[in-house]
Amino acid sequence: MKVGNRMTLYIVIGLILGIAVGSILSPMADQGWVQWIDQYIFNVIGQLFLNMIFMMVVPIVFISIVLGVYNVGDPKTLGSLGIKTLGFYLVTTAIAITIAMTLANVLDPGVGQSDLLDSEEVSEYRTSELEGGETGQAIEQTVDQTIINIIPTNVLNAMATDNMLQVIAFAVFIGIAMISVKDKIGGLVQLFEQANEIVMWIVMAIMKYFAAIGAFGLVATAFTQAGFDAIQQLGMYFICVLLALFIHMALVYGSMVQFLAKKSFVWFIKQFAPAMGVAFSTSSSSAVLPISLETAQKRLNIRKGISSFVQPLGATINMDGTAIMQGVATVFIAQLSGIDLTIMQMVTVVVIATVASIGTAGVPGVGLVMLAMVLTAVGLDPAAIGIIIGIDRLLDMTRTMTNITGDAAIAAVLDHQQDVKEEKQAAKNGEAKA
């Protein structure tokens, strides 16, 4: 068995064991010994793995974006690639939230459950919001601030605070500058390439020796704390989100890979499975980025120049899975409140959620912060988010998996377009010589 296949198998085993053990312990979650196991074993194992991966995120993003921009070689081509990438991400996000809202309006997950608005979770969330929690901060973030904040005033601070959009912006500037003075920086290019080899080696070592046990710890603690009781209480909402995620992945990403990238979607999923498994366990697009890059380049055969530019950008601005959760949750909460959303309100949700996805950190739970902004924009009480907090960690796993799959699918499409472009150029050069 190949090393990549063996690693995938171990991760899957870790995920299954984590779900099984967490589900068994969940009914006893209030007992001291279970809490001790969860806090000092599952949580420690999972967080150590997460920290090791997060440790590599900034170096990977910075180095890969610089090399990606440099390898494009032509600022005009870079601009074209950037516009295409951003266009794909915004369109797929808008499609995702449209699918979600349509499905939620058909399945009516919140009809007949208005008593959930009186739950203790809603009361607690409202209290934390009034005390100035992160929800309030998210609502204050405006579109103009998001645009202004793309450019860092302090690069070291951007790296220290994991502000990926600012790190990407700085890396793009460095890459463009390296293209402009390429005759003078042969040693610097080699240094970046060698640094890339080093960080990728570290990532693969982490994956080889810690991924399976780390996945087990993260999933075990998630299911111990939430478990299937939370799923039963919000069963229709849970099913609606999962169904929308599946439809989006199968129809949108499947069509893109099959018809635009000219590859089998089954083959694509099979090859990308290691990254999807880690995404499921970490619930973080940023944390899984090093593995996503390695998997896309080595197993999907996407050229480094495109993968290194498209995927890190996607980890920051492509939030299709999160958009789906927001679409379903908005309709769900509106139905709980007995409010019928107008067409204009639904369009508002699509626009705001799509724009808000730009610059949002790819870390666990950030979707809830974005959701507060969306709910406020259409006049719904953001405190109602408290209802879905219990199962959001479980859904976060699945939507992160969707997010990174979309990044890789778009990278595959752009890679194929580059192949076609090079073939046409080669044919043109051949004709010219003839």
Side-chain angles (χ1 to χ4, degrees):
M1 186 182 289
K2 294 181 179 179
V3 174
N5 293 336
R6 192 184 304 125
M7 186 172 67
T8 304
L9 177 63
Y10 292 157
I11 291 172
V12 171
I13 291 172
L15 293 173
I16 293 172
L17 286 176
I19 292 171
V21 172
S23 299
I24 292 170
L25 294 179
S26 181
M28 303 174 281
D30 57 344
Q31 296 188 25
W33 66 275
V34 173
Q35 293 175 353
W36 189 92
I37 291 174
D38 181 41
Q39 182 176 351
Y40 294 105
I41 298 180
F42 298 160
N43 183 60
V44 169
I45 291 171
Q47 290 303 313
L48 281 174
F49 173 62
L50 262 186
N51 286 353
M52 283 188 282
I53 293 295
F54 271 125
M55 173 180 70
M56 304 308 301
V57 170
V58 170
I60 285 281
V61 170
F62 180 69
I63 293 170
S64 64
I65 286 286
V66 169
L67 286 177
V69 170
Y70 179 79
N71 289 332
V72 169
D74 179 9
K76 290 183 179 178
T77 304
L78 176 65
S80 174
L81 180 63
I83 291 170
K84 287 180 182 177
T85 302
L86 186 61
F88 269 118
Y89 285 149
L90 293 178
V91 169
T92 57
T93 300
I95 292 173
I97 196 168
T98 302
I99 289 172
M101 296 186 76
T102 302
L103 194 63
N105 277 297
V106 171
L107 297 181
D108 293 332
V111 172
Q113 300 192 65
S114 58
D115 56 313
L116 289 173
L117 287 174
D118 300 323
S119 65
E120 184 179 337
E121 289 83 1
V122 173
S123 178
E124 289 177 356
Y125 197 88
R126 183 175 286 113
T127 300
S128 66
E129 184 184 351
L130 290 173
E131 290 173 352
E134 62 178 351
T135 303
Q137 295 172 3
I139 293 169
E140 292 171 8
Q141 182 75 13
T142 58
V143 175
D144 61 317
Q145 288 175 321
T146 300
I147 294 172
I148 292 169
N149 289 337
I150 291 174
I151 306 299
T153 56
N154 186 322
V155 174
L156 294 180
N157 184 63
M159 292 182 174
T161 57
D162 292 335
N163 190 322
M164 286 300 107
L165 204 58
Q166 293 187 349
V167 172
I168 289 171
F170 180 65
V172 168
F173 279 118
I174 295 293
I176 292 173
M178 287 171 62
I179 292 173
S180 302
V181 295
K182 63 169 63 176
D183 296 335
K184 304 176 183 178
I185 55 162
L188 181 61
V189 174
Q190 189 176 16
L191 178 64
F192 269 100
E193 290 173 345
Q194 291 170 341
N196 188 58
E197 292 295 325
I198 291 171
V199 294
M200 284 301 185
W201 185 92
I202 295 173
V203 168
M204 292 312 296
I206 293 170
M207 288 298 298
K208 183 177 178 180
Y209 297 109
F210 299 104
I213 184 107
F216 167 79
L218 290 166
V219 175
T221 190
F223 273 80
T224 298
Q225 293 174 11
F228 287 101
D229 286 342
I231 296 176
Q232 290 171 0
Q233 291 175 350
L234 297 167
M236 204 59 201
Y237 167 77
F238 192 85
I239 291 170
C240 196
V241 174
L242 289 184
L243 188 56
L245 289 170
F246 176 78
I247 291 172
H248 186 70
M249 187 176 288
L251 292 184
V252 179
Y253 297 156
S255 298
M256 289 171 63
V257 171
Q258 200 80 38
F259 301 113
L260 298 181
K262 305 298 183 183
K263 290 182 172 68
S264 164
F265 188 56
V266 174
W267 171 85
F268 176 90
I269 293 294
K270 184 178 178 181
Q271 296 303 316
F272 200 60
M276 294 172 71
V278 176
F280 183 84
S281 60
T282 61
S283 300
S284 169
S285 299
S286 295
V288 77
L289 180 58
I291 296 93
S292 297
L293 286 167
E294 184 78 6
T295 307
Q297 293 166 14
K298 297 292 176 64
R299 293 170 68 95
L300 296 178
N301 302 317
I302 298 172
R303 49 171 59 82
K304 283 187 177 181
I306 288 178
S307 169
S308 298
F309 180 81
V310 173
Q311 289 177 272
L313 190 62
T316 304
I317 69 173
N318 186 39
M319 300 286 174
D320 290 1
T322 304
I324 284 171
M325 179 276 289
Q326 291 168 358
V328 174
T330 301
V331 175
F332 174 67
I333 290 170
Q335 290 174 348
L336 291 181
S337 308
I339 296 172
D340 291 326
L341 295 175
T342 65
I343 296 296
M344 279 309 300
Q345 283 177 311
M346 292 188 204
V347 171
T348 300
V349 172
V350 173
V351 173
I352 291 179
T354 302
V355 174
S357 67
I358 302 175
T360 303
V363 296
V366 73
L368 291 176
V369 179
M370 292 170 62
L371 178 58
M373 188 192 313
V374 173
L375 292 177
T376 302
V378 293
L380 295 173
D381 185 1
I385 293 173
I387 299 168
I388 61 176
I389 281 180
I391 62 169
D392 189 69
R393 183 66 172 84
L394 305 181
L395 288 173
D396 205 359
M397 296 172 171
T398 55
R399 63 180 185 252
T400 301
M401 194 165 59
T402 303
N403 288 342
I404 64 132
T405 304
D407 299 341
I410 290 170
V413 170
L414 294 172
D415 185 68
H416 176 71
Q417 289 182 352
Q418 186 64 26
D419 287 340
V420 172
K421 183 179 178 181
E422 290 178 359
E423 287 173 6
K424 288 181 178 178
Q425 188 64 42
K428 186 184 293 185
N429 292 339
E431 290 174 3
K433 289 180 179 178

